[in-house]
Amino acid sequence: MLYDHLAQDLYTEICHIPIIDPHSHINPHQPTARGLEDILGYHYYTELAHSVGMEKEAVNLDIDPADRVRETLYYMSQFDNTAQYQWFLEIARVFLDYQREQLSLADSTWLFERAQRVMNRPGWEDEVLRRSNIETVFLTNDFDDPLQGFDTERYVPCLRTDDLVFHLDDPKVRQRLAQATSVEVGDAAGLRLAVTALFEHFTRHGARACAISLPPRFRPAPVSDNDLARALHAPAAGKGRKERRAAAALARTRAHGVFWMLAEHCHEFKLPFDLMIGVNRKVYPGGVFQGQDLFDHRVSLIQYARLFNAFPQVSFCVSVLASTLNQELVSYSWIFPNVYTSGHWWYSNIPAYIEQDARARLQAVPRTKQIGYYSDMYKLEFGLPKYNMYRRILAQVLAEDFVRPRIYTELQAVSLARALLRDNVRRIFDV
Amino acid sequence: MLYDHLAQDLYTEICHIPIIDPHSHINPHQPTARGLEDILGYHYYTELAHSVGMEKEAVNLDIDPADRVRETLYYMSQFDNTAQYQWFLEIARVFLDYQREQLSLADSTWLFERAQRVMNRPGWEDEVLRRSNIETVFLTNDFDDPLQGFDTERYVPCLRTDDLVFHLDDPKVRQRLAQATSVEVGDAAGLRLAVTALFEHFTRHGARACAISLPPRFRPAPVSDNDLARALHAPAAGKGRKERRAAAALARTRAHGVFWMLAEHCHEFKLPFDLMIGVNRKVYPGGVFQGQDLFDHRVSLIQYARLFNAFPQVSFCVSVLASTLNQELVSYSWIFPNVYTSGHWWYSNIPAYIEQDARARLQAVPRTKQIGYYSDMYKLEFGLPKYNMYRRILAQVLAEDFVRPRIYTELQAVSLARALLRDNVRRIFDV
Amino acid sequence: MLYDHLAQDLYTEICHIPIIDPHSHINPHQPTARGLEDILGYHYYTELAHSVGMEKEAVNLDIDPADRVRETLYYMSQFDNTAQYQWFLEIARVFLDYQREQLSLADSTWLFERAQRVMNRPGWEDEVLRRSNIETVFLTNDFDDPLQGFDTERYVPCLRTDDLVFHLDDPKVRQRLAQATSVEVGDAAGLRLAVTALFEHFTRHGARACAISLPPRFRPAPVSDNDLARALHAPAAGKGRKERRAAAALARTRAHGVFWMLAEHCHEFKLPFDLMIGVNRKVYPGGVFQGQDLFDHRVSLIQYARLFNAFPQVSFCVSVLASTLNQELVSYSWIFPNVYTSGHWWYSNIPAYIEQDARARLQAVPRTKQIGYYSDMYKLEFGLPKYNMYRRILAQVLAEDFVRPRIYTELQAVSLARALLRDNVRRIFDV
């Protein structure tokens, strides 16, 4: 809760801005939670519970939902200091009318049953969106998603390309690609045909962005068609050290080649490219589902300079996982016309880092080049607490850095917030 | 001094929590200063005085203590803006009844004589601990410390392993190891016997942790017994470039092998492993004693992922020297059940960095996985000003981030402080 | 504007301290702007306008100044949130008596004509300096600058050495060096003669510093005369990969050799050496003039340890481009007697970073070892808004971290500000 009156006033105004959420993992066929187990099944809770002692098997999906909820709640008191806990508390209060100050295991049954009832009543989806003041939500679709059976005005498709760039050696991925595009990829030209088919399919269904998450060491570069063809034919890695090295080099070539081809298609199809930079996958393989990835802060946007220069017409919406990379993001967005700052991602999505990072962006990046926030949510119920967290921080920063020093009037400050939360998203993604 | 009333109230309550200090360099046979020369002999003062012009020879131990004190005080006005100066001022005020606003050279004689008198009176050690509200202090013992002649309940032994990991090629270290363990180390099996003997000796005497400080480039990995044996027999480096490279590679193998063996013993003996990550030794060899080390912020906890995965039963209490590594520490502690955040080390132990780092930890790391602070002190008198510095910052952060936004009541905030300053240390180190 | 009364009081006092600006790009023969086109021609405006859509050709110098001004102002509303915009607004208000709240394109003609009139009236240069309370301004002179025709008491020469270190393979640079020194450089001894001639010329004309900006990967090391001679004779890079690598290695040797020789001369001529660490040049070659450079935050001062150790008598005034390097700078200045913190450079020269970086320096670096700020300006008019920005932040930090917690009285706080803004510069550069 905000205790600064000016910030509170700004917050109230900011809450009136209808949100366009430019990045989520919503399943449009089941956008809301079916019950508390879907809320507490969010990896933020299972991984924090596991971090303080919960067996990861305790939340296997074949276990009774009520038991899974009880198990996670049992461990929750050990992380009731976290921002993630606050999201849950806000969901319980706003959506479930939970009234007590502090959650405890004793609330488990009541909360579970209440959620069951509330989240399955008719019109729940609309109600959640209305109360969160979220108008439009971007999805993150697998490349072979049929994109059918949902309202693409409300749920905007977005082509996720991690599989294509990093797992094209996987026969299952190849097969999915072949089925989705009717192209059997054998060389660079074949791959180009397949990728074009994907972009046609996605844009035909209203897609507004291409997206990918990238490891810290990725350094995009173009690859010749011949090299790419060789990399596409690469055999699985052998056992020897030399063979593994060669396989790794080919995997890199393949990733570079596919990635560059995607950027070319973003140019051709006029789609912005969301780059989510810096994640190391499976650093803790013993962790819960989606609670295994971490990062290495030693990454620089200089690795992307060649890309940014090669595609001046493509809008690159850049998220960084490490807050220590924020100053580079600020500076690259200030210099490159096609680089935009985008949200506060994952491990940087906690108030201490959001505040620092947002302040620097607000002071040095043109207002039209900032995408303030995205929810990254899997269930619509999280839009409210996550956006509220950001709205509060934004209101506080606007109060302290803009309104009180008389740089902006309150009206101007709210207009800046509108640019960050709505107008820029509309313009950049042409919504 | 705190000027925020709520923070001041929280601070007062926090001061009532009896401290368990989980890392210091106290000599249990001479835990307090013998006089002002021991206070101003702390490297924080000699190095800052040297930094502004003091000859390092001016504080050689063969020089008259009163002269050393005068010399350091002479240069002190040039760093009276620093947090370190504030520690000294608080010692002078609280323990020596110094009343003036600003220290000057003219105070030298009075302070010196007063300290001489006060610090040598009977019961001084108890008085210092009582006034600091410090109950238990962890030590940092050489591996060949007999651990006798002191109260191991008050002064908890802790096995420091830097020499074993990084200096086992030094004949003196080998000899000390042979004398301490009655094992002449010739191969991996022999080393294992010796290390086991050390762990038995330490745990028999109440040791509660194994500790080591590590350079930025260290990247733990297991080593085969054969490779380790070869590295243990390595000749001193020759003159040629090739020979030096080979010697460096062997030193690395040796360090990795010994380190991994220590982790295995931490597992077997159920001792937490304190990792103090990121120091470069002797960067400024012309500096005063202990005032020569610095760091390189380009280090990542990804270097420790293999270790964290290999020893899920070992509690790793991680300190980072560079504040820019704090976000990784926060994230790794949030994901890995066996990784704990530990204190604010050395160059990060100044208010600007403590505040930032503590805020992020409080918002994203489970409350049970944080070790709030340790003194790192050489003399007990420093416990009070150092812990007070931390207690003030903690109180301020709790006021602003928890109590005012109504996330915690004041009582809950103090209970969080108790977890950080006492309960977690008790549980993690089984005190 | 400051809204904290104590900070406002401190700010008022700090404004009375006559500034010595230790780093600028002022042309002493034309120190002020000739009109608004010189103000808005500053790369901060052209690059931000370009970042939001302005064609870089729109500000070519052959285009009518009034049109260039209009073009930049047209795009300005898109970055009216930035600190850079605030500098412009303060110039318009203070120097041009602009009275409205928000700039718009409609102000273009009035502002242009007003600037034309005001900036060309007699005594303008003196008036600007007087109103900014700037007494002395350091320049950044090319090595072949005749240093004649201006008052070297007011405009202190400073030897810029980027061309010598990084472009000595350029025949034009060689020719300029030959003309400036009457030495045809053929080997190390010849180069030493030439460099000595430059230092003699510069010190004879009152130069007070040697300065250079350095890329992130630079790692100074001495080079033998033979190796340097070979590097001086290096042919231009050939086409093959191997040839290019060899050329790059020779370029590195040449840069190291020249740089080390400059440090030797700084020692001999008792000149401080300004090191501006961390810039990558031409990262965005499509950008406007001076709006193409960026950085890679992965740099460490450990790269400079050898240099700092080798020249204990040379004062190294270190600026870092990445705020994430500030903690290293703080720590290296605290340990090395010859390392000083210097200002807030370029991408770190925005309030969010200045505040963080200044706080840490004020808490951990001796007061006598900090150079608070420099303008980096090209036209004198920017001294006022830039220094005011810093003075406000400094006043706020002093209020919160020193005066309110009763560490300093207000008088002492202002005296600390005087050290940072004047006294230290005088002493370090012997002004």
Side-chain angles (χ1 to χ4, degrees):
Chain A
M1 203 180 296
L2 287 162
Y3 51 93
D4 173 327
H5 290 295
L6 173 58
Q8 179 63 42
D9 288 351
L10 290 166
Y11 171 72
T12 305
E13 289 306 311
I14 290 170
C15 286
H16 289 138
I17 301 164
I19 299 291
I20 304 172
D21 177 359
H23 179 70
S24 85
H25 296 272
I26 290 295
N27 170 2
H29 307 290
Q30 175 64 56
T32 57
R34 288 155 303 185
L36 208 62
E37 72 278 18
D38 278 354
I39 299 294
L40 287 179
Y42 197 12
H43 67 83
Y44 284 97
Y45 303 111
T46 54
E47 73 202 13
L48 281 166
H50 177 59
S51 176
V52 297
M54 187 185 77
E55 296 292 329
K56 69 174 186 165
E57 291 74 19
V59 288
N60 276 351
L61 292 183
D62 51 6
I63 288 170
D64 180 66
D67 288 342
R68 275 184 275 146
V69 161
R70 211 173 298 114
E71 184 75 10
T72 311
L73 267 176
Y74 173 76
Y75 287 97
M76 215 161 200
S77 64
Q78 291 192 55
F79 56 88
D80 68 3
N81 56 298
T82 60
Q84 294 86 337
Y85 175 88
Q86 289 301 314
W87 302 342
F88 179 66
L89 199 60
E90 196 161 354
I91 286 175
R93 285 179 179 158
V94 173
F95 291 129
L96 307 178
D97 296 314
Y98 180 77
Q99 308 271 352
R100 305 246 293 276
E101 275 305 305
Q102 221 185 342
L103 280 165
S104 83
L105 194 54
D107 300 314
S108 184
T109 308
W110 185 89
L111 279 171
F112 184 79
E113 291 174 356
R114 172 93 189 141
Q116 203 78 2
R117 213 160 50 241
V118 166
M119 294 174 176
N120 291 292
R121 70 188 176 206
W124 179 243
E125 176 184 346
D126 288 347
E127 187 180 335
V128 171
L129 288 172
R130 185 180 49 75
R131 291 171 74 172
S132 316
N133 203 9
I134 295 175
E135 196 183 81
T136 307
V137 177
F138 279 47
L139 310 175
T140 302
N141 305 87
D142 282 338
F143 66 79
D144 54 345
D145 190 316
L147 305 176
Q148 281 171 346
F150 62 90
D151 174 2
T152 58
E153 296 279 311
R154 173 177 278 187
Y155 298 114
V156 179
C158 171
L159 172 59
R160 177 172 209 166
T161 55
D162 297 53
D163 281 347
L164 295 173
V165 172
F166 296 111
H167 304 299
L168 208 52
D169 57 328
D170 181 339
K172 275 177 266 166
V173 174
R174 288 278 181 109
Q175 203 181 345
R176 285 170 50 207
L177 184 59
Q179 280 175 347
T181 63
S182 309
V183 180
E184 288 284 350
V185 169
D187 58 7
L191 183 63
R192 195 165 284 118
L193 277 176
V195 169
T196 303
L198 295 178
F199 272 72
E200 280 169 351
H201 169 65
F202 268 75
T203 50
R204 208 183 308 120
H205 288 84
R208 286 284 170 266
C210 177
I212 190 167
S213 70
L214 298 155
R217 295 201 169 188
F218 198 67
R219 188 180 186 94
V223 167
S224 75
D225 276 10
N226 278 342
D227 286 351
L228 179 53
R230 247 195 312 277
L232 288 170
H233 284 296
K239 281 183 189 162
R241 194 174 167 185
K242 216 170 156 182
E243 279 170 311
R244 277 182 287 130
R245 276 207 186 172
L250 282 165
R252 205 161 45 237
T253 300
R254 197 166 53 237
H256 285 171
V258 179
F259 181 86
W260 207 262
M261 197 179 277
L262 291 170
E264 288 166 352
H265 281 79
C266 284
H267 170 82
E268 194 181 330
F269 286 81
K270 298 190 196 322
L271 278 194
F273 203 166
D274 290 335
L275 306 180
M276 310 189 75
I277 294 174
V279 61
N280 290 109
R281 300 290 180 186
K282 299 212 183 304
V283 172
Y284 173 45
V288 299
F289 177 61
Q290 293 181 326
Q292 307 177 1
D293 306 336
L294 280 156
F295 64 99
D296 177 341
H297 73 108
R298 296 168 303 178
V299 50
S300 170
L301 294 186
I302 198 95
Q303 299 167 214
Y304 292 83
R306 188 166 181 179
L307 178 77
F308 298 154
N309 281 303
F311 299 97
Q313 304 303 322
V314 175
S315 296
F316 293 100
C317 303
V318 178
S319 294
V320 291
L321 195 45
S323 174
T324 45
L325 199 55
N326 187 61
Q327 195 190 8
E328 283 196 20
L329 178 54
V330 163
S331 308
Y332 280 69
S333 307
W334 140 6
I335 292 298
F336 277 99
N338 56 337
V339 177
Y340 296 82
T341 63
S342 180
H344 299 273
W345 190 30
W346 203 342
Y347 294 111
S348 285
N349 187 29
I350 61 163
Y353 295 119
I354 296 173
E355 187 193 313
Q356 271 182 27
D357 297 347
R359 284 190 71 199
R361 294 181 196 176
L362 288 170
Q363 292 173 355
V365 178
R367 57 186 291 158
T368 49
K369 298 197 65 195
Q370 303 183 46
I371 296 168
Y373 197 69
Y374 50 75
S375 72
D376 216 3
M377 63 189 168
Y378 285 77
K379 294 294 173 189
L380 287 185
E381 287 84 353
F382 282 97
L384 183 136
K386 287 185 154 193
Y387 267 100
N388 277 354
M389 175 179 73
Y390 177 72
R391 287 185 273 228
R392 283 186 204 106
I393 295 166
L394 179 61
Q396 190 69 55
V397 172
L398 289 173
E400 288 174 19
D401 286 7
F402 287 84
V403 179
R404 286 215 175 87
R406 303 222 186 165
I407 286 171
Y408 272 2
T409 62
E410 288 183 56
L411 264 180
Q412 287 176 307
V414 174
S415 145
L416 176 52
R418 175 180 291 270
L420 267 56
L421 288 168
R422 181 175 177 83
D423 298 346
N424 293 344
V425 178
R426 289 191 65 172
R427 198 189 63 254
I428 295 164
F429 296 101
D430 191 22
V431 177
Chain B
M1 203 179 298
L2 287 161
Y3 51 92
D4 174 327
H5 290 294
L6 172 58
Q8 179 64 41
D9 288 351
L10 290 166
Y11 172 71
T12 305
E13 289 307 312
I14 290 170
C15 285
H16 289 139
I17 302 164
I19 298 291
I20 303 173
D21 177 0
H23 180 69
S24 84
H25 296 272
I26 290 295
N27 170 3
H29 307 291
Q30 175 64 55
T32 57
R34 289 157 302 186
L36 208 62
E37 71 278 17
D38 277 355
I39 299 294
L40 288 180
Y42 198 12
H43 67 83
Y44 285 97
Y45 303 111
T46 55
E47 73 202 15
L48 281 166
H50 177 58
S51 176
V52 298
M54 187 186 78
E55 296 291 330
K56 69 173 185 165
E57 292 73 18
V59 288
N60 278 351
L61 292 183
D62 52 5
I63 288 170
D64 180 66
D67 288 342
R68 275 185 274 145
V69 162
R70 211 172 298 116
E71 184 75 10
T72 311
L73 268 177
Y74 172 77
Y75 287 96
M76 216 161 200
S77 64
Q78 289 192 56
F79 56 87
D80 69 4
N81 56 299
T82 60
Q84 294 87 336
Y85 175 87
Q86 289 301 314
W87 303 341
F88 179 66
L89 199 60
E90 197 162 354
I91 287 175
R93 284 179 178 158
V94 173
F95 292 129
L96 306 178
D97 297 314
Y98 180 78
Q99 309 271 354
R100 306 245 294 276
E101 274 306 304
Q102 221 186 344
L103 279 165
S104 83
L105 194 53
D107 300 314
S108 183
T109 308
W110 185 89
L111 279 171
F112 183 80
E113 290 175 357
R114 172 95 189 141
Q116 203 79 0
R117 212 158 52 240
V118 165
M119 294 173 177
N120 291 293
R121 72 189 175 206
W124 179 242
E125 176 184 347
D126 288 347
E127 187 180 336
V128 171
L129 288 171
R130 186 180 49 73
R131 292 172 74 173
S132 316
N133 203 10
I134 295 176
E135 196 182 80
T136 307
V137 178
F138 279 47
L139 309 176
T140 302
N141 305 87
D142 282 337
F143 66 79
D144 54 345
D145 190 316
L147 304 176
Q148 281 172 346
F150 62 91
D151 173 3
T152 59
E153 295 280 310
R154 173 176 279 187
Y155 297 114
V156 178
C158 172
L159 172 59
R160 176 170 211 168
T161 55
D162 297 54
D163 281 346
L164 295 173
V165 172
F166 297 110
H167 304 298
L168 208 53
D169 57 327
D170 181 340
K172 274 178 266 167
V173 174
R174 290 278 181 107
Q175 202 180 346
R176 285 170 49 206
L177 184 59
Q179 280 174 348
T181 63
S182 309
V183 180
E184 288 284 350
V185 169
D187 58 6
L191 183 63
R192 195 166 283 119
L193 277 176
V195 169
T196 302
L198 294 179
F199 272 73
E200 280 169 351
H201 169 66
F202 267 75
T203 51
R204 208 183 309 122
H205 287 84
R208 286 282 170 267
C210 177
I212 190 167
S213 70
L214 298 155
R217 294 201 169 188
F218 198 67
R219 188 181 186 93
V223 168
S224 74
D225 276 9
N226 278 342
D227 286 351
L228 179 54
R230 247 195 311 279
L232 289 170
H233 285 295
K239 280 182 188 163
R241 194 175 167 183
K242 217 171 157 183
E243 279 170 311
R244 276 182 288 130
R245 276 207 184 172
L250 283 165
R252 205 162 45 236
T253 300
R254 197 166 52 235
H256 285 171
V258 179
F259 181 85
W260 207 262
M261 196 179 277
L262 291 171
E264 287 165 352
H265 281 78
C266 284
H267 171 80
E268 193 181 330
F269 286 80
K270 300 190 195 322
L271 278 195
F273 204 166
D274 290 335
L275 307 180
M276 310 188 76
I277 295 175
V279 61
N280 290 109
R281 300 291 179 186
K282 299 212 183 303
V283 173
Y284 173 45
V288 299
F289 176 62
Q290 293 180 325
Q292 307 176 1
D293 306 336
L294 279 156
F295 64 99
D296 177 339
H297 72 108
R298 296 169 303 179
V299 50
S300 170
L301 293 187
I302 197 94
Q303 299 166 212
Y304 292 83
R306 187 166 181 179
L307 178 77
F308 298 155
N309 281 304
F311 298 97
Q313 304 302 321
V314 176
S315 296
F316 293 99
C317 304
V318 178
S319 295
V320 292
L321 195 46
S323 174
T324 44
L325 199 55
N326 187 61
Q327 195 190 9
E328 284 197 17
L329 178 55
V330 163
S331 308
Y332 280 68
S333 307
W334 139 7
I335 292 299
F336 277 100
N338 56 336
V339 176
Y340 297 81
T341 63
S342 180
H344 299 272
W345 189 30
W346 202 343
Y347 294 111
S348 285
N349 186 30
I350 60 163
Y353 294 119
I354 295 173
E355 187 193 314
Q356 272 182 28
D357 297 347
R359 284 190 71 198
R361 294 181 195 175
L362 288 170
Q363 292 173 354
V365 178
R367 56 186 291 157
T368 49
K369 299 197 64 196
Q370 303 185 45
I371 296 169
Y373 197 69
Y374 50 75
S375 72
D376 216 3
M377 64 188 166
Y378 285 77
K379 293 295 172 188
L380 287 185
E381 286 84 352
F382 281 97
L384 183 137
K386 286 184 154 193
Y387 266 100
N388 277 355
M389 175 179 74
Y390 177 72
R391 287 185 273 228
R392 282 186 205 106
I393 295 166
L394 179 61
Q396 190 69 57
V397 172
L398 290 173
E400 288 174 20
D401 286 7
F402 288 83
V403 180
R404 287 216 175 86
R406 302 220 186 166
I407 287 171
Y408 271 2
T409 61
E410 287 184 57
L411 264 180
Q412 287 175 307
V414 174
S415 145
L416 175 52
R418 175 180 293 270
L420 268 56
L421 288 168
R422 179 175 179 83
D423 298 345
N424 294 344
V425 179
R426 290 191 66 173
R427 199 188 62 255
I428 294 164
F429 296 101
D430 192 22
V431 177
Chain C
M1 202 181 297
L2 287 162
Y3 51 92
D4 173 329
H5 289 295
L6 173 58
Q8 179 64 41
D9 287 351
L10 289 167
Y11 172 72
T12 306
E13 288 307 311
I14 289 169
C15 286
H16 289 138
I17 301 165
I19 299 291
I20 303 173
D21 177 359
H23 179 70
S24 85
H25 296 273
I26 290 294
N27 169 3
H29 307 290
Q30 175 65 54
T32 57
R34 287 156 303 184
L36 208 62
E37 71 278 17
D38 278 354
I39 299 295
L40 287 179
Y42 197 12
H43 67 83
Y44 285 98
Y45 303 111
T46 55
E47 72 202 14
L48 282 165
H50 177 59
S51 176
V52 298
M54 187 186 78
E55 296 291 329
K56 68 173 186 165
E57 292 73 20
V59 287
N60 277 350
L61 293 183
D62 52 6
I63 288 170
D64 179 65
D67 289 342
R68 275 184 275 146
V69 161
R70 211 173 297 115
E71 184 75 10
T72 311
L73 267 177
Y74 172 77
Y75 287 97
M76 216 162 199
S77 64
Q78 290 192 55
F79 56 88
D80 69 3
N81 57 298
T82 61
Q84 295 86 336
Y85 175 87
Q86 290 301 313
W87 302 342
F88 179 66
L89 200 59
E90 196 162 354
I91 287 175
R93 285 178 178 158
V94 173
F95 291 128
L96 306 178
D97 296 314
Y98 180 78
Q99 307 272 353
R100 307 246 293 276
E101 274 305 304
Q102 222 186 341
L103 279 165
S104 83
L105 194 54
D107 300 313
S108 183
T109 308
W110 185 89
L111 278 171
F112 183 80
E113 290 175 357
R114 173 94 188 140
Q116 203 78 0
R117 211 159 51 240
V118 166
M119 293 173 176
N120 291 293
R121 71 189 177 205
W124 179 242
E125 175 184 347
D126 289 347
E127 187 180 337
V128 171
L129 288 171
R130 186 179 50 73
R131 291 171 74 172
S132 317
N133 203 8
I134 296 175
E135 196 183 81
T136 307
V137 177
F138 280 46
L139 310 176
T140 301
N141 305 86
D142 282 338
F143 66 78
D144 54 344
D145 190 316
L147 304 175
Q148 280 171 348
F150 62 89
D151 173 3
T152 59
E153 296 280 310
R154 173 176 280 186
Y155 298 114
V156 178
C158 171
L159 172 59
R160 177 172 209 165
T161 55
D162 297 53
D163 281 346
L164 295 172
V165 171
F166 296 110
H167 303 299
L168 207 53
D169 57 327
D170 182 341
K172 275 179 265 165
V173 173
R174 289 278 181 107
Q175 202 181 346
R176 284 169 50 206
L177 184 59
Q179 279 174 348
T181 64
S182 309
V183 180
E184 288 284 350
V185 169
D187 58 7
L191 183 64
R192 195 165 283 119
L193 278 176
V195 170
T196 303
L198 295 178
F199 272 72
E200 279 169 350
H201 169 66
F202 268 75
T203 51
R204 207 183 308 120
H205 288 83
R208 286 283 170 266
C210 177
I212 190 167
S213 69
L214 298 155
R217 295 200 170 189
F218 198 68
R219 188 180 186 95
V223 168
S224 74
D225 276 10
N226 278 342
D227 286 351
L228 180 53
R230 246 194 314 276
L232 289 169
H233 285 294
K239 280 182 189 165
R241 194 175 167 184
K242 217 171 156 181
E243 280 170 310
R244 276 182 288 130
R245 276 208 186 170
L250 283 166
R252 205 162 44 237
T253 300
R254 197 165 54 234
H256 285 170
V258 179
F259 182 86
W260 207 261
M261 196 179 276
L262 291 171
E264 288 166 352
H265 281 78
C266 283
H267 171 81
E268 193 181 330
F269 286 81
K270 299 189 197 320
L271 277 194
F273 203 166
D274 290 336
L275 306 181
M276 311 188 76
I277 294 174
V279 62
N280 289 110
R281 300 290 179 185
K282 298 212 184 305
V283 172
Y284 173 45
V288 298
F289 177 61
Q290 293 180 327
Q292 308 177 1
D293 306 336
L294 279 156
F295 64 100
D296 176 341
H297 73 108
R298 295 169 303 178
V299 50
S300 170
L301 293 186
I302 198 94
Q303 299 166 213
Y304 292 84
R306 187 166 182 179
L307 178 77
F308 298 155
N309 280 303
F311 298 97
Q313 304 303 321
V314 175
S315 297
F316 293 99
C317 303
V318 177
S319 295
V320 292
L321 195 45
S323 173
T324 45
L325 199 55
N326 187 61
Q327 194 190 8
E328 284 197 19
L329 179 54
V330 163
S331 307
Y332 280 69
S333 307
W334 140 7
I335 292 298
F336 277 100
N338 55 338
V339 176
Y340 297 82
T341 64
S342 180
H344 299 273
W345 190 30
W346 202 343
Y347 293 111
S348 285
N349 186 30
I350 61 164
Y353 294 119
I354 295 173
E355 187 192 314
Q356 272 182 29
D357 296 347
R359 283 191 71 199
R361 295 182 195 175
L362 288 170
Q363 292 172 355
V365 178
R367 57 187 291 157
T368 49
K369 298 197 65 194
Q370 303 183 46
I371 296 169
Y373 197 71
Y374 50 75
S375 72
D376 216 4
M377 64 188 166
Y378 286 76
K379 294 294 172 188
L380 287 185
E381 287 84 352
F382 281 97
L384 183 137
K386 286 184 153 193
Y387 266 100
N388 277 355
M389 174 178 74
Y390 177 73
R391 287 185 275 227
R392 281 185 205 107
I393 296 166
L394 180 61
Q396 190 69 56
V397 172
L398 289 173
E400 288 174 19
D401 287 6
F402 287 83
V403 180
R404 287 214 175 88
R406 302 221 187 165
I407 286 171
Y408 272 1
T409 62
E410 287 184 58
L411 264 180
Q412 288 175 308
V414 174
S415 145
L416 175 52
R418 175 181 293 270
L420 267 56
L421 287 168
R422 180 175 178 82
D423 297 345
N424 293 344
V425 179
R426 289 191 63 173
R427 199 189 62 255
I428 294 163
F429 295 101
D430 190 22
V431 177

